[in-house]
């Protein structure tokens, strides 16, 4: 995770995080909305209805996701421009059977071609 991200700061301060596993049918708009704008300027969940809270109190997406993981930070590693968090799974759920969206699928089928 890039060191300048608000999410990185929140994880360092709370030592917990959630992961929503996106499916291949996820629209680019979802990726753009959550991954290409900062939470410092936008409440990313203000108009979103497809989410729930896990036992740790954090939000996870329920639309275009097939699984979720709640984690507690065990270790963090400084990788220069990025920080890597290693977490212990404290809760998980299977939300669907659709195939997971890989980075390769994102570049092949979802990312806009310019």
């Amino acid at each position: 995770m890039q060191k300048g991200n608000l999410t990185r700061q929140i994880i360092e301060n709370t030592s917990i995080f959630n992961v929503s596993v996106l499916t291949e049918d996820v629209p680019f708009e979802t990726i753009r909305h959550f991954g290409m704008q900062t939470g410092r300027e936008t409440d990313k969940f203000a108009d979103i209805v497809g989410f729930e809270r896990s036992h740790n109190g954090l939000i996870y997406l329920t639309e275009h996701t097939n699984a979720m993981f709640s984690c507690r930070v065990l270790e963090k590693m400084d990788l220069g421009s990025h920080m890597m968090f290693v977490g212990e799974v404290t809760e998980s759920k299977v939300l669907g059977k659709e195939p997971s969206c890989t980075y390769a699928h994102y570049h092949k089928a979802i990312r806009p071609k310019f």
Side-chain angles (χ1 to χ4, degrees):
M1 173 168 307
Q2 291 183 346
K3 285 185 177 178
N5 286 0
L6 177 61
T7 302
R8 191 256 331 142
Q9 291 176 321
I10 292 169
I11 293 171
E12 282 191 323
N13 290 338
T14 64
S15 295
I16 56 175
F17 62 92
N18 284 352
V19 175
S20 298
V21 181
L22 301 175
T23 56
E24 286 184 336
D25 67 348
V26 66
F28 176 75
E29 176 55 28
T30 299
I31 294 169
R32 187 207 62 74
H33 181 80
F34 287 102
M36 298 178 182
Q37 62 180 344
T38 178
R40 288 184 179 93
E41 299 169 4
T42 302
D43 178 352
K44 294 182 184 183
F45 288 95
D47 298 321
I48 303 296
V49 294
F51 69 88
E52 292 182 14
R53 288 194 183 270
S54 61
H55 293 198
N56 65 12
L58 300 179
I59 291 172
Y60 64 93
L61 296 178
T62 57
E63 293 183 6
H64 304 290
T65 58
N66 60 19
M68 64 75 69
F69 298 93
S70 294
C71 301
R72 177 180 61 86
V73 174
L74 296 177
E75 186 178 351
K76 64 180 183 177
M77 294 176 223
D78 189 333
L79 304 175
S81 62
H82 288 68
M83 185 69 69
M84 182 170 74
F85 295 99
V86 177
E88 172 185 28
V89 175
T90 58
E91 179 184 0
S92 63
K93 291 182 184 177
V94 174
L95 304 172
K97 295 182 179 183
E98 300 83 3
S100 298
C101 182
T102 63
Y103 194 60
H105 178 80
Y106 165 75
H107 278 279
K108 178 181 176 185
I110 299 173
R111 182 178 173 214
K113 311 296 187 258
F114 297 104

